[in-house]
């Protein structure tokens, strides 16, 4: 078995070490003897989405998100939309999550028209939503996911898009409706930056399994020794529960 990962805009959308999630996926596949390749595709390079199984998009500041707009129009938006409809797996974080929606209106009034691949939009507010946070994930059997968020954008989901989880502590999509992230077909979106997958190995394997199942029809992932990862998860879960 083999997974081909495409890391989109790695040099532009990489806040808080978001790329660590790509390292994590690569390792968790490699430890199980599953081949993996990672290709980086950024501004100026054509994207042929049918070449890949799993796409990763990290987060970015407002300025960096604006920088991408022209490049997206030059073919990447159409490729991303087609790949999503084709059931390819995506993990998109914060600014990358917002980029899959229709638009992001920054708090100072700049309108970024994004891909519109998912029926959702984002409106910036002066007060940022910052901090460690936690949500429950129904498709992980009610498991908690712990993470770190820092965004000014408030995201609102349209019909047909469900959240990835329900907020237990922190803000999530907008600090108003209790929803966190977005799910559509095999797309996973979240506001959780940095070491999302290392701290939440169950989510990491769920995403990898989704991509492998899409490619091979079924996939079983051999268990790994996640003692350290689980300890990190439990520590944050306790801290956030105590708040
Ligand atoms: N610039 C966007 C916002 O502030 C995304 C930020 C991010 O990726 N952390 O909402």
């Amino acid at each position: 078995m083999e997974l081909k990962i495409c890391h989109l805009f790695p040099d532009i959308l990489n806040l808080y070490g978001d790329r660590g999630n790509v390292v994590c996926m690569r390792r968790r596949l490699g430890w199980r003897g599953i081949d993996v390749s990672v290709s980086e595709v950024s501004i100026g390079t054509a994207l042929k989405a049918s070449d890949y199984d799993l796409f990763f998009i990290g987060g970015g500041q407002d300025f960096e998100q604006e920088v991408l707009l022209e490049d997206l129009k030059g073919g990447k938006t159409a490729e991303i939309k087609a790949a999503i409809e084709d059931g390819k797996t995506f993990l998109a974080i914060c600014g990358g999550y917002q980029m899959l929606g229709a638009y992001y209106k920054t708090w100072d009034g700049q309108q970024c028209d994004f891909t519109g691949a998912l029926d959702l939009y984002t409106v910036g507010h002066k007060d940022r939503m910052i901090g460690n946070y936690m949500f429950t994930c129904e498709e992980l059997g009610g498991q908690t996911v712990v993470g770190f968020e820092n965004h000014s954008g408030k995201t609102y989901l349209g019909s047909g898009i469900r959240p990835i989880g329900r907020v237990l502590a922190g803000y999530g999509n907008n600090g108003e409706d209790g929803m966190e992230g977005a799910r559509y077909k095999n797309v996973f979106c979240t506001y959780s930056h940095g070491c999302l997958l290392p701290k939440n190995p169950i989510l990491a394997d769920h995403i990898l399994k989704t991509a492998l199942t899409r490619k091979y029809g079924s996939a079983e992932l051999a268990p790994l020794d996640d003692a350290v990862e689980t300890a990190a998860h439990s520590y944050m879960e306790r801290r956030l529960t105590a708040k």
Side-chain angles (χ1 to χ4, degrees), residues 140-202:
L140 299 182
Q143 278 282 333
T144 59
V145 172
V146 293
F148 172 78
E149 59 183 330
N150 182 355
H151 50 113
S152 113
K154 293 188 172 196
T155 297
Y156 300 92
L157 307 182
S159 59
I161 309 288
R162 57 187 199 279
I164 195 170
R166 301 275 163 188
V167 178
L168 294 172
Y171 301 94
N173 279 348
N174 50 47
E176 295 160 11
D177 59 20
M179 294 192 221
E180 155 60 18
R183 284 284 282 116
Y184 173 73
K185 293 199 169 192
N186 291 333
V187 181
F188 298 78
C189 296
T190 176
Y191 267 109
S192 181
H193 273 292
C195 46
L196 166 73
L197 297 184
K199 262 192 305 200
N200 298 282
I202 293 173

Side-chain angles (χ1 to χ4, degrees), residues 12-48:
I12 299 165
L13 298 178
N14 180 37
L15 279 180
Y16 307 111
D18 284 342
R19 69 167 60 243
N21 293 299
V22 176
V23 176
C24 176
M25 290 192 283
R26 188 200 271 269
R27 291 274 190 277
R28 294 186 76 81
L29 290 165
W31 285 330
R32 289 157 161 138
I34 300 170
D35 290 333
V36 54
S37 65
V38 178
S39 305
E40 301 194 335
V41 176
S42 194
I43 288 183
T45 305
L47 170 67
K48 194 170 160 235

Side-chain angles (χ1 to χ4, degrees), residues 13-16 18 58-65 93-98 104 106-107 122-125 128-129 148-155 190-191 193:
L13 298 178
N14 180 37
L15 279 180
Y16 307 111
D18 284 342
Q61 300 174 52
D62 292 3
F63 170 74
E64 292 154 348
Q65 291 174 281
I93 294 180
C94 200
Y97 165 23
Q98 296 171 352
Y104 170 36
T106 64
W107 68 273
T122 304
V123 182
H125 279 250
R128 299 191 70 82
M129 289 157 274
F148 172 78
E149 59 183 330
N150 182 355
H151 50 113
S152 113
K154 293 188 172 196
T155 297
T190 176
Y191 267 109
H193 273 292

Side-chain angles (χ1 to χ4, degrees), residues 106-127:
T106 64
W107 68 273
D108 58 352
Q110 300 291 320
Q111 170 101 11
C112 299
D113 287 320
F114 281 139
T115 61
L118 303 183
D119 182 12
L120 56 91
Y121 65 94
T122 304
V123 182
H125 279 250
K126 250 191 159 158
D127 298 327

